[in-house]
Amino acid sequence: MEQHLPLAEPYRIKVVEPIRMTSREEREMLIRQAGYNPFLLPSEAVYIDLLTDSGTSAMSDRQWAGMMVGDEAYAGSRNFYHLQAVVEELMGFKYVIPTHQGRAAENILFTVMLHEGNVVPNNMHFDTTKAHVLHKHGRPVDLVIDAAYEPGLPLPFKGNMNPAKLEALIAQVGRENIPIVMLTLTCNSGGGQPVSMANIREVREVCRRYGLPLFLDACRFAENAYFIKQREEGYRDKTVREIVKEIFSYADGCTMSAKKDALVNIGGFLALRDQDLYQKCSVWAVLFEGFPTYGGLAGRDMEAMARGLTEVVDEAYLASRIGQVRYLAEQLTAAGIPIVQPPGGHAVYLDAGAFLPHIPRDQFPAWALTVALYLEGGVRAVEIGTVLAGRNPETGAHDYPRLDLVRLAIPRRVYTDRHMDVVARAVINIYSRRDQIRGLCFTYEAPVLRHFTARFKPVDAA
Ligand code: P70
C-alpha cells in the first residue's frame, strides 16, 4: 500500500558548524576535570548539546540578512520600530522595551511593581523569576495543578494554574498584597507543559474580579499556541497567529526571553498595554539596560528578533519543532524509559527518581544521570533536581524538590533527527545498565546557585 510521505524539516541547511564525537577515554578525563559538572565542560568537549534551548537557535538567512541592516543609532533605531510593530501586530501590546535577555525584563517589571512582603502567584516560577521576586523581598508562590507533579500522567495541559488555589491565596494574603499574577508559557519547571486557552481565560477572570493585572512569561508562547491548536477543542481551525493574538488579549503585558521563541542568540523585551506603566518602566530601563529604543541590544539584534518573531509562528516550523521533541520522546517511551508525559514543547524530561531508584536523593540521582549521559554519548543535559533546588536557608538541609529530573532541551533548527537517534540510543544504553550508575557527593559547593560551580566525585571514589 502507498504510504504518506514523511514530514521533513521545512528548511535546508546552508551553513554548518562542525562538531566532534570524543572517545570514551577523553570524556572520562574531561568530565573528571570538570568536577563531574556538565556546566564546567568546554562546549567543544560536547557532541550534542542539550543543556538549553535558550540562545542556541540557528537563525535563518532572513535573520542574518537583517543583521546587515542594523541601524545603530543610540535613539530611534529603525529596527526598534520594526520590533515594536511586529510585537504589536502579533501580541497586541503597544509598548515595548527591548532588554538584553528575559531576566532583565523581569528586573524592570518587578522593580516597578513589587514591594517588600508582596506575593506573586505563577503556575510555576522559573528560577530567574523566582530569584527576582525574592530579590525584591517578595514571596513567589506556585499554583500549578497537582497533576504537574505526576510525571507519568499524560494530560494535555499540565501547565495550567489551579484557579481555586489562586482564589484561596487571594483570600489568605489579601488582594492588596498581590501586585501581579503571572503565567509561564509553556511551564518550563513543570516539563515544558502548555497552558490551555480556557485556563488563561479562567485566570484572567479571577484577576478581573479582584482587579489584579495578569502578566505572561512568554518565552515559549508559540510552542504553547501550537499545543492549543493541536489539543484544545475549538482551536483546530484557527491559525497559530490567531491563537497567539487571543492568548495575549487576556494579558496586561509580558516578559520575553527572545532567546527561545524569537529564534535569536541574545535578546528579550518587556511588552505592556498601559502607557503609565510603560513610562514608569522606561525610567528603570534606562538605568539597567540603556535608552528605551535599544535596551542593551544592538540595532541588528532587534532586527533579528523582529524577524524571528514572525518566523516562529510559521506552522510548518512548529510542526517540525514540536515533532522533533516528540520523535525523541517516542523512542524513549517505546524503550520503557520513565519520562515526564506528555513530552514538552522544548524538551524531554527524564524522571531520574524512577530511572535510578537505587541512588539515594542526597547522592543526586538526576545529576548522576547527566554525567552518565555525557560519558555514554557526549550528550550534555541539565539536572532539574536536588542540586539545582539548593538548600533551605533556615535549616541548611537540601531543599528536596518534588521531582528529580534531567532535561534534554532541544535547540531550535540546530540538530537533525539523526542526532536525536544518538541521544535516544545513549539513554537506552545507560538504562540497560542503570544499576551500575553511582551517586555523587560534593567536593565543592557554593553557598548560592550551587549548580553552576559545584564540583563532585563519585561516592565510592577515594
Ligand atoms: C532555560 C533558560 C530561561 C528562562 C525561562 C523562563 C520560563 C525566564 C527565563 C530567563 C535558562 C537556563 C537553564 C539551565 C541551563 C541554561 C539556561 N531559561 N523565564 O534553559 O530568560 O535566560 O533570557 O534571562 O525558561 O530554560 P533569560
Side-chain angles (χ1 to χ4, degrees), residues 36-99:
Y36 296 90
N37 183 345
F39 278 106
L40 302 180
L41 285 170
S43 138
E44 288 183 339
V46 176
Y47 180 47
I48 301 176
D49 202 348
L50 307 185
L51 186 67
T52 177
D53 65 317
S54 179
T56 51
S57 300
M59 294 211 296
S60 67
D61 52 356
R62 218 179 142 262
Q63 284 177 294
W64 279 109
M67 301 285 281
M68 289 304 291
V69 293
D71 168 356
E72 307 304 342
Y74 193 93
S77 158
R78 72 172 158 259
N79 314 114
F80 168 75
Y81 297 120
H82 183 201
L83 174 67
Q84 192 180 40
V86 167
V87 169
E88 187 169 4
E89 212 222 311
L90 201 61
M91 305 176 167
F93 298 126
K94 188 153 182 225
Y95 301 101
V96 181
I97 299 174
T99 59

Side-chain angles (χ1 to χ4, degrees), residues 405-445:
L405 303 175
V406 168
R407 186 182 72 172
L408 306 168
I410 305 185
R412 295 169 182 79
R413 304 192 292 209
V414 169
Y415 293 114
T416 64
D417 286 357
R418 186 67 76 88
H419 290 110
M420 297 304 115
D421 293 344
V422 173
V423 175
R425 176 49 56 192
V427 176
I428 293 166
N429 283 356
I430 54 184
Y431 191 61
S432 69
R433 42 184 155 75
R434 58 192 178 278
D435 50 324
Q436 292 166 23
I437 298 175
R438 290 166 299 157
L440 299 158
C441 59
F442 282 116
T443 60
Y444 167 72
E445 180 188 0

